[in-house]
Amino acid sequence: MQLASSATQIYYHLLDLDDSQKQQYLDNLRQSQPELYRNIAPLLSCDKTDEQLTQLLGFGAHQATNQEIDLSGEVISKYRLTHELGRGGMGVVYAALRADDTFEQDLAIKFIQSNLSNVLGQRALFDEAQLLARLNHPYIAKVFDGGLHDDSVYIVMERVFGQTLDAYLNASPMEEDDKLLLFQQICQAMEHAHHHHVLHADLKPENILIDSNKRPKLIDFNLTQKVQSDNQTSPSALVAFSEKYASPEQQTGQYLTEQSDVYSLGKILALMFPNSKVWSDIYWVIRRATRSSVSQRYPNVRALRFDVENILECRPIKQKQHWPLYSTLRLVQRRPLPSMLSAIIVVSGIWFSTTLIQKNLQLQQEKKIAEDMMYEVTRLIFHAKGENIEHMSVSAMMELTRRRILSNPDIPKHIKQKMLLAMMTPVPDKHITKTISCPPNCPPQKDTNE
């Protein structure tokens, strides 16, 4: 604890010094307390003084919470602490029960270490805790009470029995839709918090518990983060985050917005779908949520949740609406039976129309062929020159007809072949009658074959 107290004292002292005085103080510290200086020296390499002090205070907080202080078994107000549940940079969490035996409650009490209470102010921490107490959502651990113990602010919360999100994913293989439904519920919880002007500011798998009903519970909201507003001019608060899930602006100590939580949610979605393909909708949702530039991310958690719901309902997401045939594919996936029936109707209509057109063209062609053939016959009978036609034999007339058919380009080849085949087929003698040409007044003569 002595090392942590020294770090806090350094923090306060440096606040009152200008740049030259700070450098002189640190030089003296290096000579007088080399061990302390070696521990905090890596934190002093930042360009901005505010970031130096923020990280220096974080170091003091880390040292304080790593001290072996055990409050198990103690009674704090009307609560009895049973055992430690976890320890982090901001404080320690204990399991607790009601000590007055009036109610049976399983509780979790988080003690925010005293150095943070001194730096950030007990009133500010109580105000943040009061904001959490106003949250009333089934997927957020409920805050019931708060108080002060040995200069440490504590918060009494609902105790959640369950697994952390990463442990749950490893232990229980899940279908894609089940994962998306779980993520949707996490988004709903964050929407509720943002609606009440509360950021989580430390979203990570360890702070999302999955209870026995397979429902998420968000825990461990970061009370030390500051939300951006138009009238805030105070310096950055103590930075506390998980580098893997924190937004770029949080890692650089800037003010946070709802989109900072959007970034963390995108990282959590990437954890849930580690092998998402480039063409998949999930990949594009993750890609937009985790953009480095705040302006390129989803504007809020609600917009992120809408795209997740679009995936669940097989609706197009905004980022891919310009892709060719993408919206049509999603429609088919969303309504397979009506789409199949519609496709059958359309194909049947096209087939029927095509068949009808082909038949119409075929009839027009056959009509033209018949007209051409009638023209040839008429031309043969009535437009032959000279009188030789009256003395032509049947064979000669057929030969003349054959030639005319072959020379007519408007008669299709297959029709010509059929007609020529019919003309070449022999006819029985009993059906053949020859007529001998004679003058108009001469009586007809019978064929000699009769």
Side-chain angles (χ1 to χ4, degrees):
M1 183 66 73
Q2 182 179 0
L3 185 60
S5 299
S6 299
T8 306
Q9 292 171 3
I10 292 173
Y11 168 77
Y12 282 121
H13 187 67
L14 291 177
L15 285 176
D16 299 325
L17 302 179
D18 58 27
D19 291 341
S20 60
Q21 291 174 330
K22 287 174 185 174
Q23 185 60 47
Q24 183 179 0
Y25 179 86
L26 292 172
D27 290 340
N28 294 334
L29 179 65
R30 179 171 53 187
Q31 296 177 1
S32 60
Q33 300 185 53
E35 181 181 357
L36 178 58
Y37 181 82
R38 282 196 300 271
N39 287 328
I40 66 173
L43 306 177
L44 304 177
S45 59
C46 302
D47 293 332
K48 294 184 179 180
T49 303
D50 286 344
E51 293 179 2
Q52 290 181 354
L53 300 180
T54 295
Q55 294 188 39
L56 182 60
L57 181 59
F59 167 75
H62 176 74
Q63 293 296 328
T65 52
N66 276 294
Q67 302 300 315
E68 295 296 332
I69 300 177
D70 190 2
L71 300 178
S72 300
E74 293 194 18
V75 175
I76 309 297
S77 182
K78 49 183 178 288
Y79 308 103
R80 182 183 301 277
L81 309 184
T82 58
H83 61 278
E84 183 179 317
L85 294 177
R87 183 179 294 258
M90 297 297 100
V92 185
V93 181
Y94 287 90
L97 299 171
R98 287 290 293 261
D100 52 12
D101 296 328
T102 55
F103 294 97
E104 292 185 3
Q105 284 182 297
D106 288 306
L107 304 169
I109 300 182
K110 179 176 182 178
F111 289 85
I112 300 175
Q113 57 107 345
S114 58
N115 287 334
L116 294 181
S117 300
N118 294 332
V119 173
L120 300 176
Q122 294 175 357
R123 184 68 266 166
L125 291 176
F126 277 126
D127 289 343
E128 293 293 330
Q130 180 60 45
L131 287 176
L132 289 181
R134 293 175 184 171
L135 302 182
N136 185 17
H137 195 275
Y139 306 141
I140 298 178
K142 182 66 178 172
V143 172
F144 298 117
D145 198 0
L148 190 65
H149 176 72
D150 292 341
D151 294 330
S152 294
V153 174
Y154 66 85
I155 301 173
V156 182
M157 302 173 291
E158 168 191 5
R159 183 181 175 188
V160 181
F161 294 89
Q163 295 176 290
T164 60
L165 177 61
D166 49 352
Y168 180 76
L169 293 174
N170 292 331
S172 306
M174 301 174 65
E175 297 293 333
E176 179 177 305
D177 285 357
D178 293 333
K179 290 182 181 180
L180 289 174
L181 285 171
L182 180 61
F183 184 77
Q184 178 190 28
Q185 293 170 343
I186 296 172
C187 289
Q188 290 172 349
M190 285 312 308
E191 276 188 78
H192 177 80
H194 289 175
H195 180 72
H196 289 82
H197 309 291
V198 176
L199 298 185
H200 192 289
D202 195 18
L203 275 169
K204 55 186 178 181
E206 294 84 354
N207 289 338
I208 302 173
L209 299 181
I210 311 300
D211 63 18
S212 57
N213 295 320
K214 300 181 181 180
R215 294 181 178 180
K217 285 279 189 178
L218 301 189
I219 62 171
D220 209 10
F221 282 70
N222 190 343
L223 301 183
T224 66
Q225 296 296 339
K226 294 297 181 182
V227 182
Q228 180 182 20
S229 67
D230 295 335
N231 57 4
Q232 274 185 309
T233 57
S234 60
S236 298
L238 175 62
V239 178
F241 54 79
S242 170
E243 291 187 4
K244 186 175 181 180
Y245 297 93
S247 63
E249 62 271 19
Q250 186 172 11
Q251 297 190 37
T252 55
Q254 302 176 31
Y255 281 115
L256 306 184
T257 66
E258 293 182 17
Q259 288 167 290
S260 302
D261 281 339
V262 167
Y263 183 95
S264 300
L265 287 170
K267 288 293 187 179
I268 290 172
L269 185 60
L271 171 72
M272 300 175 73
F273 294 92
N275 300 317
S276 57
K277 306 300 182 182
V278 175
W279 58 83
S280 69
D281 289 353
I282 294 174
Y283 170 85
W284 287 88
V285 170
I286 295 172
R287 185 171 181 263
R288 185 178 180 189
T290 56
R291 289 284 195 179
S292 297
S293 173
V294 175
S295 61
Q296 294 180 340
R297 292 180 212 153
Y298 287 100
N300 47 51
V301 178
R302 185 168 181 251
L304 170 60
R305 178 177 60 84
F306 277 174
D307 260 355
V308 171
E309 290 178 351
N310 286 337
I311 297 176
L312 283 168
E313 297 172 2
C314 293
R315 297 183 182 277
I317 61 174
K318 187 175 181 180
Q319 298 94 291
K320 294 174 60 177
Q321 287 180 344
H322 62 283
W323 287 27
L325 301 179
Y326 167 71
S327 296
T328 302
L329 176 62
R330 299 304 275 168
L331 175 62
V332 172
Q333 293 173 337
R334 184 167 68 253
R335 300 180 179 275
L337 183 58
S339 298
M340 183 179 66
L341 294 176
S342 299
I344 291 175
I345 293 174
V346 170
V347 171
S348 299
I350 294 174
W351 177 81
F352 179 77
S353 300
T354 303
T355 303
L356 189 62
I357 292 172
Q358 290 178 344
K359 290 295 183 182
N360 187 41
L361 292 175
Q362 183 179 352
L363 289 174
Q364 292 179 0
Q365 186 180 27
E366 291 176 354
K367 178 182 177 183
K368 189 175 185 305
I369 292 172
E371 290 174 351
D372 290 343
M373 293 175 61
M374 289 296 297
Y375 172 76
E376 291 294 340
V377 173
T378 302
R379 184 178 178 186
L380 176 65
I381 296 176
F382 296 102
H383 299 284
K385 294 181 180 181
E387 296 181 356
N388 293 333
I389 190 66
E390 297 177 357
H391 304 284
M392 291 178 64
S393 65
V394 174
S395 298
M397 293 181 65
M398 291 185 65
E399 178 62 20
L400 180 61
T401 302
R402 184 184 71 81
R403 291 179 180 179
R404 290 185 177 278
I405 291 173
L406 291 176
S407 63
N408 192 332
D410 295 329
I411 300 178
K413 184 177 180 180
H414 68 282
I415 298 296
K416 291 179 180 180
Q417 291 175 347
K418 290 182 179 180
M419 293 178 65
L420 293 175
L421 182 63
M423 294 170 64
M424 294 172 61
T425 302
V427 180
D429 293 343
K430 64 180 181 179
H431 297 294
I432 299 177
T433 302
K434 294 183 180 179
T435 305
I436 301 176
S437 177
C438 62
N441 296 328
C442 176
Q445 297 182 3
K446 294 184 179 181
D447 192 289
T448 57
N449 294 331
E450 292 183 353

